[in-house]
Amino acid sequence: MIDDSLISERIKRFACTRKPGLSCPTATRHAQLVVCLVLLGFGQMVFAQAGMAPKDTLGSQVAWEYQLDEVLISSQSEDPFNTNARFYKADPLSSGDEVMENLVGVWAIKRGSYAYEPMMRGLSGGQINVSIDEMRILGACTDKMDPVTAYVEPNNLASLNISHGAGGYTAGSTVGGAYDMQIKKPVINEADPWHSAVGYRYLSASNGLEALFNTAYGMDKLAFRAGATYRKASDYRAGGGEEIDFSAYNKVNYSTSISYLPGKNDLLNFSAIGDYAWQVGYPALPMDVGNADAKIFGLSYDKWLHHGKMDQLTAKVYYNRISHRMDDSRREVALRMDMPGHTYTYGGFAKGLYTWNKRVSGQMKIDGHATFAHAEMTMHFEDAKPMFMLTWPDVHRKVLGFQNQTTYRAGDGFTLNAGFRMEKNAIAIQSELGERQLSVFAFGEANRGELLFNANAGVEKELASNLNSGVLVSFGQRMPTEGEQYGFYLFNAYDGYDYIGRPDLRSEQSLQAELFSQYRGEVIRLKVTGYYYHFHRYIMGVANAELSPMTIGANGVKVYKNMDEARLAGVEAQFELKIHKFKLLNQLKFTYGELKDGTPLPLMPPLKNMMELHYQTNSQWLFNLGMEAAAWQNRINRAFGEQKTPGYAIANLMLGKAFSVDRLAAKVSLSVENIFDNRYHEHLDWGGIPRPGRNISLGFLLDF
Ligand SMILES: [Cu+2]
């Protein structure tokens, strides 16, 4: 919705912020400073440099970086399809959850209208690593009400680095990949040093309002940015008119970032994020959230080198603390429970980008972090003393890892890529009560840490000038989560079972193959990816009839177990057609998962297709028509309490207009989602809670 002149004007403003760590010390020095920035390899993201031109990009063939700033999306993205972040593009006030649902190979698990849990190709929870600026964070809710994605708002989000599969170990060993949110950093030494924005959006279905502001100031050696977002929603209205109880929420998110240039090739940055949510309803769960609080701090140092084989060195230390308090006071429950939890994580890493010679480049990283998790439950009986237990028994986990990714440009259009990660983790329970609780079950010798290994290798061939194809294989392991290993009677509202962790659980491991082909023409762009993941020791809860549940009315007790084998396969296809001022975007995703015996894996997303038609005029009008459709899901896991879900289709419409007067830029958008007010839900929506019905939203953003 912004024309070219505006783009060039703004590139300067945003270019440096787009890649933290690649910030350009001065606007004029882009060209010499940046040179490089190299690729990380298959299953990883590739950096373009902080200046303007996109780099050649092997990694982006398999992973995607989403530049969430609308200007960057249109001007310098490497991924031809990152227009998938379209909702944001259309409406800067969109929530992170709305952005998430539109990413390739990413789904959202919903327990209400707040804080969706990301799922990547059928994998979620401990199977993927969700991080902020590569900082590890552990949500403090035993029921996954507070995924890490909830702590960042598009207002302070610069880009998303999504890497699928076991090669995506950016932030730690994994089987499912990385979802890393890079936050916005201030720009040093701008011609026009002061920038601010305010925005507002109203949503009719939830009578919700969203307001944001940010301001940034850049001087010679020092730059500063601060912003805040406030969101408030009442219980929303589903298609057909039903009001969904307990779906209201309130939250405020605030962040600040300060950059300082001690020398001309050095950059020091301190960033802090705070997120506070209160009175958050979860219609699919028996409890709500009283309050949830996150405080996240990171201090990083970048050095650019002009000699030798190293291009850039980065060192970072971080700390974060999350607390979470559930609340059942508004519900009719047989038994009142208090369930607070808190976690903290501290860690650091050092990484270096290197260019060995014209053909060989890569990245090395050494990282470590420690996480502490405490969650408790107090049950208040009417006629007896309260009962207290630790649901996460002060689990302390330490992780140390080393990784390297190397790319070799072999010539003849061949690019080879290989990498590995080794990670040692150690786990201790620091609570005697916790030890005693779990000793009741005699699960055998606890697994107090393992050496984990990830490795990946790939080859890509430029078949024609606009056509390339590649294959990659990878192997990965991930440690069990705190809950899977030490959880104590954690009630799962989906299947109605109390879950108990197994201290002797082993790592889950997966062998994976992926194949893609991509065509990037002027008019048509197409990319098709197919993948197959084979799991050993797949971790899943299995009913244990010998144990009786703690939760009143629960169906029984499940204990986590390493299953024999499991497999996942899927397809992602993206298509883009550009004719004159029209742009058609289509994205299709599908995942199929089963256990060795053919039983479907629980919570497998259905086939889903999203289509968008954009039309943009010279006078900065934008028109956008969207169609979202999902097929039925009949392959269900009955032991997990799943039910079949019918398919659905909805249509959305958006109209936007941008104005600019001098250095004032304004955007107004009006959108209607779910135009026909369909009542529907997706298979991943817990409890089959219907999604919002027709929603009219009006957004306004002023940039000055
Ligand atoms: Cu919770």
Side-chain angles (χ1 to χ4, degrees), residues 140-146 285 288-289 324-326 339:
C141 177
T142 50
D143 295 346
K144 299 178 182 170
M145 288 166 166
D146 65 343
L285 301 178
D288 303 308
V289 165
H324 183 85
R325 181 171 289 274
M326 287 188 253
M339 294 182 69

Side-chain angles (χ1 to χ4, degrees), residues 73-288:
I73 286 172
S74 54
S75 65
Q76 32 177 307
S77 144
E78 305 176 15
D79 169 20
F81 300 104
N82 73 0
T83 27
N84 285 300
R86 71 213 155 88
F87 266 113
Y88 182 77
K89 196 178 165 186
D91 191 342
L93 284 151
S94 295
S95 68
D97 290 338
E98 286 168 287
V99 173
M100 181 198 301
E101 289 208 287
N102 291 295
L103 303 172
V104 177
V106 180
W107 279 265
I109 301 172
K110 291 190 185 185
R111 297 174 177 85
S113 63
Y114 181 78
Y116 308 163
E117 187 192 350
M119 169 185 265
M120 294 167 65
R121 294 182 174 171
L123 302 173
S124 62
Q127 295 171 314
I128 60 176
N129 288 328
V130 183
S131 56
I132 300 176
D133 280 347
E134 295 180 42
M135 299 185 284
R136 294 295 298 261
I137 299 169
L138 179 67
C141 177
T142 50
D143 295 346
K144 299 178 182 170
M145 288 166 166
D146 65 343
V148 174
T149 39
Y151 311 141
V152 178
E153 286 287 333
N155 189 24
N156 54 17
L157 179 61
S159 66
L160 284 170
N161 292 349
I162 311 277
S163 344
H164 287 289
Y169 42 78
T170 332
S173 293
T174 185
V175 292
Y179 189 108
D180 186 50
M181 294 168 279
Q182 298 270 323
I183 59 174
K184 280 185 183 155
K185 304 289 182 345
V187 186
I188 281 174
N189 199 10
E190 280 198 278
D192 184 8
W194 198 304
H195 291 288
S196 304
V198 291
Y200 180 86
R201 182 164 77 144
Y202 172 79
L203 300 99
S204 71
S206 60
N207 194 20
L209 76 86
E210 306 175 350
L212 70 83
F213 102 96
N214 64 64
T215 187
Y217 189 73
M219 291 170 284
D220 260 8
K221 287 184 167 291
L222 192 66
F224 165 87
R225 185 183 194 278
T229 303
Y230 169 68
R231 292 183 188 278
K232 174 187 166 57
S234 309
D235 291 342
Y236 70 81
R237 204 190 127 272
E242 188 195 346
E243 194 163 289
I244 305 301
D245 287 342
F246 310 113
S247 64
Y249 65 85
N250 303 274
K251 88 170 272 187
V252 58
N253 179 284
Y254 47 97
S255 63
T256 184
S257 183
I258 302 164
S259 286
Y260 174 67
L261 273 182
K264 61 174 187 177
N265 295 319
D266 307 69
L267 181 76
L268 200 59
N269 177 271
F270 172 77
S271 295
I273 301 175
D275 190 273
Y276 184 77
W278 68 99
Q279 298 277 327
V280 180
Y282 288 83
L285 301 178
M287 284 196 146
D288 303 308

